[in-house]
Amino acid sequence: VNVRRVILLSTAAPDRPHGSMVRYGQMVCAALRCVAPELAVETLDLAPTQARLERLPGRIQTPVRYLAIAAQARRLLRQPAGLLHLLDGSHAYFLQAVRNLRQPLVVTVHDLIPALRLRGELGRGSPGLGGGWLVRQTLAGLARADAWIADSQCTCHDLVRLAGVAASTVQRVNPAIQAAAAAGPAAPSASPYILHVAGNNTFYKNRAGVIEIFRIIRQTERINLKMAGAPPDAALLRKAETSGVGNAIEFLPDLSEAQLAKLYRGAALLLFPSLYEGFGWPPLEAMGQGCPVVCSDAGSLPEIAGEAALMAPPHDVVRLAHQAVQVLQDGGLRRRLVEAGFRRVREFTLEAMGAGIVQAYEAAEERYARRRQP
């Protein structure tokens, strides 16, 4: 790669070190060190801290965050020579405020869920006038890049279809997953539990569906459910309270990576019936810790999990519950899934991730150079 400096544009709250986008930025740095150690890699934080936002009323925190990021746009024009890499394409709207960038630009797109919702292809309801305008600005901002990175082939297709970019300019680069050092399956906890992990409570995470599936499982299995990640909202708490199995459900918010890894290793299985995923971290994280996976077949999950998970449509709660019971009752099936999971995770390496990123950088440099020719 000809460029010698890469400036990673982070729109994640810099004081939230366990956030998925902070972790993605760290992973990009580690991947580049593996394959291109000569590159000078810097990070430019564009978002306000979460501590600062929390001083404001809750209803305006998100709009203020978006406005604060947009206000940083002109900082891009003051950056030294190099290549710009926006780590989260969901904030590409702010690129509309910057004209005549003097560096090649690469954007990572993790998913296009807001655009799918706007088109009525995912979930019910509309994002509203303001939300629709922001989605369209984001798609227009995405189109201003010189090359794109997508976490999965599913997201590649969405990017080409919804943002109108050329397929030849999109590089599929799977994030890397670190497998546990253990050579065999983890030992489930003496107090058995099913684990669910989600970073937020949005509808497509299907957390209410998790509880419904668990309710069916509890008809035959004496097991608990631990729901890790985002703190439950009021609707999810009501769902748990009225499910009839609320006394067997525990919410575990805001865990560190070490705490989450321990949960994976003690779980009887990961239950992940998401309605859509542009990539889907938890199934691979579970596999890397020796935890078998039962998940939906929605979005990117079939290509990410491959043959290492049991799958069913996300709304087929009976089938998903039956698959979970199979894993709980059949030790041989559990061992096969764990072994397949370890094999699967070994395909998602930092070296492969770094090589894909560098290819995207090279493509961006070439396209930028062509655009600058008189």
Side-chain angles (χ1 to χ4, degrees):
V1 63
N2 293 323
V3 70
R4 287 293 173 263
R5 177 185 284 109
V6 174
I7 301 163
L8 303 178
L9 307 178
S10 174
T11 54
D15 59 340
R16 290 294 183 267
H18 303 306
S20 61
M21 287 302 98
V22 171
R23 183 175 53 167
Y24 179 75
Q26 294 168 344
M27 195 179 296
V28 169
C29 291
L32 290 175
R33 283 196 298 270
C34 283
V35 302
E38 72 281 3
L39 279 178
V41 181
E42 307 168 13
T43 299
L44 179 63
D45 289 314
L46 301 174
T49 64
Q50 189 64 27
R52 181 181 171 190
L53 286 176
E54 286 175 353
R55 299 191 197 113
L56 304 172
R59 61 185 175 81
I60 67 169
Q61 286 181 15
T62 297
V64 167
R65 179 171 179 267
Y66 277 66
L67 288 170
I69 291 171
Q72 300 294 315
R74 296 195 64 80
R75 291 178 66 188
L76 304 189
L77 299 175
R78 301 195 297 270
Q79 297 308 306
L83 179 144
L84 303 176
H85 180 178
L86 177 59
L87 298 174
D88 184 1
S90 67
H91 290 284
Y93 59 87
F94 81 91
L95 296 173
Q96 289 290 81
V98 186
R99 301 295 174 185
N100 300 317
L101 278 175
R102 292 186 286 271
Q103 303 102 326
L105 172 65
V106 174
V107 178
T108 293
V109 180
H110 302 284
D111 63 62
L112 286 170
I113 287 172
L116 292 170
R117 291 198 68 195
L118 184 64
R119 291 167 60 98
E121 297 180 21
L122 181 63
R124 297 189 181 92
S126 165
L129 290 177
W133 176 85
L134 187 62
V135 170
R136 287 186 285 271
Q137 290 295 301
T138 298
L139 292 174
L142 286 174
R144 300 197 59 220
D146 296 295
W148 297 264
I149 291 170
D151 286 349
S152 65
Q153 194 60 48
C154 175
T155 297
C156 286
H157 291 322
D158 286 345
L159 184 57
V160 170
R161 183 169 63 92
L162 302 177
V165 305
S168 60
T169 60
V170 182
Q171 182 77 24
R172 187 192 73 182
V173 182
N174 295 139
I177 297 292
Q178 184 66 47
S189 168
S191 300
Y193 62 88
I194 291 169
L195 179 63
H196 173 73
V197 179
N200 58 65
N201 291 306
T202 48
F203 76 97
Y204 67 90
K205 293 298 182 183
N206 197 21
R207 302 192 92 188
V210 172
I211 294 176
E212 183 60 24
I213 295 165
F214 177 63
R215 185 188 64 78
I216 299 172
I217 294 169
R218 281 279 295 191
Q219 293 174 4
T220 59
E221 307 300 312
R222 303 305 298 174
I223 194 166
N224 294 331
L225 172 66
K226 295 182 185 288
M227 301 189 73
D233 58 18
L236 191 61
L237 287 172
R238 284 195 301 273
K239 177 68 177 179
E241 291 168 1
T242 59
S243 66
V245 292
N247 60 342
I249 299 173
E250 181 180 8
F251 294 100
L252 299 169
D254 301 325
L255 299 178
S256 68
E257 289 188 29
Q259 290 171 318
L260 185 56
K262 185 177 180 181
L263 271 179
Y264 280 129
R265 290 195 59 76
L269 62 92
L270 175 77
L271 180 59
F272 196 72
S274 183
L275 303 181
Y276 187 90
E277 292 290 334
F279 180 67
W281 296 88
L284 284 177
E285 289 175 336
M287 291 176 191
Q289 296 294 336
C291 176
V293 174
V294 174
C295 67
S296 72
D297 59 2
S300 67
L301 291 175
E303 66 173 285
I304 298 302
E307 300 298 319
L310 298 185
M311 297 184 195
H315 295 296
D316 193 343
V317 295
V318 172
R319 186 174 169 193
L320 286 163
H322 175 68
Q323 289 175 333
V325 170
Q326 283 183 295
V327 176
L328 295 173
Q329 294 181 348
D330 188 338
L333 173 62
R334 176 187 172 84
R335 286 190 294 273
R336 289 193 297 274
L337 287 174
V338 169
E339 290 166 3
F342 277 129
R343 290 193 300 271
R344 187 65 176 165
V345 167
R346 285 195 286 269
E347 300 176 24
F348 295 79
T349 65
L350 282 173
E351 290 79 8
M353 182 181 180
I357 292 171
V358 167
Q359 287 181 29
Y361 289 174
E362 291 171 343
E365 285 184 289
E366 292 175 6
R367 191 166 185 235
Y368 176 78
R370 288 198 302 270
R371 287 198 296 108
R372 300 284 288 183
Q373 289 176 352

